[in-house]
């Protein structure tokens, strides 16, 4: 189907994704067989069952997305906020992929260490399945309960404690946590989309508060300097220019935003795609014709322009993806100015 040319790139994306989003909320039955098939094939893939899946998935997507947006950056100097001196000139400080293997390892090491030592705990997974994945002998659980009906009950009820970390039961035959237990059933499209919307809203709120404290608390400020020190304009590689503290904070807040609403593992997998995309996009240093803030209703999305102004100016624009909390914050600051 050819869409009318008069539509902008952002309007076309809206025409495609708007109906998908709405229908997945309103008519979940339409998507269920697709989601079931997808989920069943994922559950059969050994890679998807690895405890390290999410870490590797994030790194893979990051490399793919940052790489693609860097190519767009080089090919479209006219979209950049800062016009280059010659159309082919690279911003100072931009590095080749081969120079960044160390950066990748620094990112991956602490996360892999956690993946390989702690039991993965996800919503909708039976406690017994998690314990088996963590090399615990679950027959002892049965012995501890007097009536067998109680024991079955405690396995079927969703584990209330899944937010609390548990170490793998290290033995010679199972020295590391290598797998993760997955839910039996696929989510509905309604659940998937609702969880995505909620988790982004929660993350955006939490990171806004974290980012604000990185700028205002003297103790934390030094951890954020890494991210703000670049010799020239902002470009996609700045996304991952983070101190270890800030990077772990970012990952933990994203993880918490998913955990606190009991997000399905499939939601988590999709979340990483959108999350990494948005993170690189707000750092891309370009006004993309298809930027998400142009696709979303006006005034909802922050976008690369707002984030670039945060990087050069320092003030305002603390909220990573959207605009609501920045609006509240600006009113608070203005209010305080009037009081003085
Ligand atoms: C994310 O949360 C889950 C569930 O509590 C946990 O198993 C996992 O280790 C966490 N991952 C990171 C990177 O914190
Ligand atoms: Zn900042």
């Amino acid at each position: 189907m050819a869409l009318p040319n008069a539509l902008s790139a952002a309007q076309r994306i809206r025409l495609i994704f708007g109906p998908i989003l709405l229908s997945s909320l309103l008519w979940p039955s339409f998507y269920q067989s697709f989601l079931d098939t997808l989920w069943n094939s994922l559950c059969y893939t050994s890679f998807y069952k690895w405890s390290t899946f999410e870490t590797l998935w994030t790194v893979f997507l990051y490399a793919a997305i940052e790489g693609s947006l860097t190519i767009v950056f080089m090919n479209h100097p006219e979209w950049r906020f800062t016009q280059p001196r010659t159309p082919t000139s690279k911003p100072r400080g931009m590095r080749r992929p081969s120079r960044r293997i160390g950066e990748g390892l620094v990112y991956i090491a602490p996360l892999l260490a956690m993946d390989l030592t702690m039991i993965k705990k996800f919503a909708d997974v039976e406690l017994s399945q998690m314990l088996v994945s963590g090399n615990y002998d679950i027959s002892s659980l049965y012995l501890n309960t007097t009536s067998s009906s109680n024991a079955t009950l405690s396995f079927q009820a969703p584990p209330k404690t899944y937010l609390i970390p548990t170490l793998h039961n290290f033995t010679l035959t199972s020295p590391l946590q290598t797998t993760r237990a997955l839910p039996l059933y696929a989510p509905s499209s309604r659940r998937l989309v609702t969880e995505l919307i909620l988790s982004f809203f929660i993350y955006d709120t939490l990171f806004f508060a974290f980012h604000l404290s990185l700028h205002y608390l003297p103790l934390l400020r030094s951890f954020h300097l890494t991210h703000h020190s670049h010799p020239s304009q902002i470009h996609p590689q700045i996304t991952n220019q983070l101190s270890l503290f800030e990077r772990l904070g970012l990952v933990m807040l994203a993880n918490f935003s998913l955990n606190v609403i009991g997000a399905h593992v499939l939601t988590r997998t999709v979340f990483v795609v959108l999350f990494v995309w948005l993170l690189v996009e707000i750092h891309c240093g370009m006004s993309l014709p298809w930027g998400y803030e142009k696709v979303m209703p006006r005034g909802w999305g922050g976008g690369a322009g707002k984030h670039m102004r945060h990087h050069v100016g320092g003030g305002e624009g603390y909220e990573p993806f959207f605009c609501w909390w920045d609006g509240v914050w600006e009113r608070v600051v203005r209010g305080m100015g009037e009081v003085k």
Side-chain angles (χ1 to χ4, degrees):
M1 188 181 69
L3 293 168
N5 271 332
L7 291 179
S8 71
Q11 281 167 329
R12 288 175 202 212
I13 296 177
R14 209 184 274 178
L15 267 187
I16 296 166
F17 282 98
I20 295 180
L21 206 68
L22 263 184
S23 58
S24 57
L25 286 169
L26 296 176
W27 298 288
S29 53
F30 179 73
Y31 293 95
Q32 201 56 52
S33 65
F34 166 71
L35 286 174
D36 289 343
T37 313
L38 174 69
W39 182 246
N40 288 338
S41 17
L42 283 176
C43 289
Y44 276 108
T45 320
S46 62
F47 181 52
Y48 199 65
K49 286 185 278 192
W50 290 355
S51 62
T52 49
F53 172 81
E54 285 182 351
T55 301
L56 301 174
W57 179 230
T58 309
V59 172
F60 165 75
L61 286 167
Y62 183 78
I65 294 171
E66 195 214 81
S68 315
L69 280 177
T70 303
I71 294 173
V72 176
F73 186 91
M74 295 312 295
N75 288 345
H76 290 276
E78 76 280 9
W79 289 348
R80 298 189 207 169
F81 294 124
T82 315
Q83 292 307 314
R85 232 173 301 144
T86 67
T88 51
S89 69
K90 272 196 316 187
R92 265 199 309 141
M94 203 183 230
R95 292 177 300 155
R96 313 183 155 280
S98 57
R99 295 275 171 83
R100 298 176 67 212
I101 293 169
E103 180 187 332
L105 291 180
V106 167
Y107 171 82
I108 226 173
L111 296 177
L112 282 190
M114 284 198 300
D115 290 342
L116 293 171
T117 53
M118 286 178 348
I119 299 185
K120 293 280 154 187
K121 297 179 172 184
F122 299 117
D124 289 27
V125 181
E126 284 184 18
L127 184 57
S128 57
Q129 295 293 307
M130 294 182 201
L131 291 173
V132 168
S133 84
N135 191 32
Y136 283 88
D137 179 11
I138 56 163
S139 59
S140 63
L141 271 187
Y142 282 108
L143 292 178
N144 285 341
T145 356
T146 38
S147 103
S148 61
S149 64
N150 268 352
T152 9
L153 255 188
S154 70
F155 284 156
Q156 277 164 359
K160 300 268 182 316
T161 55
Y162 77 85
L163 289 178
I164 300 166
T166 315
L167 282 181
H168 181 81
N169 181 26
F170 303 102
T171 60
L172 272 183
T173 48
S174 171
L176 292 171
Q177 177 79 27
T178 54
T179 60
R180 55 181 194 158
L182 299 170
L184 278 179
Y185 304 108
S188 69
S189 64
R190 179 179 288 160
R191 174 173 174 189
L192 183 79
V193 169
T194 312
E195 285 177 349
L196 284 174
I197 295 172
L198 282 177
S199 53
F200 270 97
F201 184 78
I202 298 171
Y203 173 83
D204 191 64
T205 306
L206 294 175
F207 197 84
F208 166 74
F210 181 55
H211 192 187
L212 206 60
S213 54
L214 285 173
H215 276 266
Y216 279 85
L217 297 184
L219 262 180
L220 296 184
R221 208 171 280 158
S222 64
F223 291 116
H224 191 49
L225 281 180
T226 324
H227 189 54
H228 276 277
S229 57
H230 33 90
S232 58
Q233 79 219 75
I234 188 169
H235 56 81
Q237 290 187 356
I238 305 294
T239 318
N240 192 36
Q241 189 181 297
L242 300 166
S243 66
L244 190 63
F245 174 80
E246 184 174 354
R247 192 182 292 125
L248 285 180
L250 185 150
V251 173
M252 297 295 177
L253 288 180
N255 202 19
F256 178 80
S257 309
L258 289 157
N259 283 334
V260 76
I261 56 166
H264 192 278
V265 176
L266 188 59
T267 307
R268 301 175 61 94
T269 307
V270 180
F271 176 91
V272 178
V273 182
L274 299 174
F275 182 72
V276 173
W277 177 272
L278 286 182
L279 268 191
V280 182
E281 192 183 315
I282 62 169
H283 291 95
C284 76
M286 293 175 280
S287 175
L288 298 171
W290 29 272
Y292 77 95
E293 80 284 3
K294 302 188 179 84
V295 175
M296 288 181 85
R298 197 197 295 256
W300 285 19
K306 186 176 106 172
H307 202 66
M308 180 272 296
R309 288 192 296 280
H310 171 74
H311 268 255
V312 294
E316 71 165 342
Y318 297 103
E319 191 173 353
F321 301 141
F322 309 119
C323 289
W324 307 298
W325 297 117
D326 274 331
V328 172
W329 178 247
E330 271 153 39
R331 249 170 284 144
V332 169
V333 171
R334 221 179 299 135
M336 288 196 306
E338 278 162 16
V339 169
K340 274 184 205 159

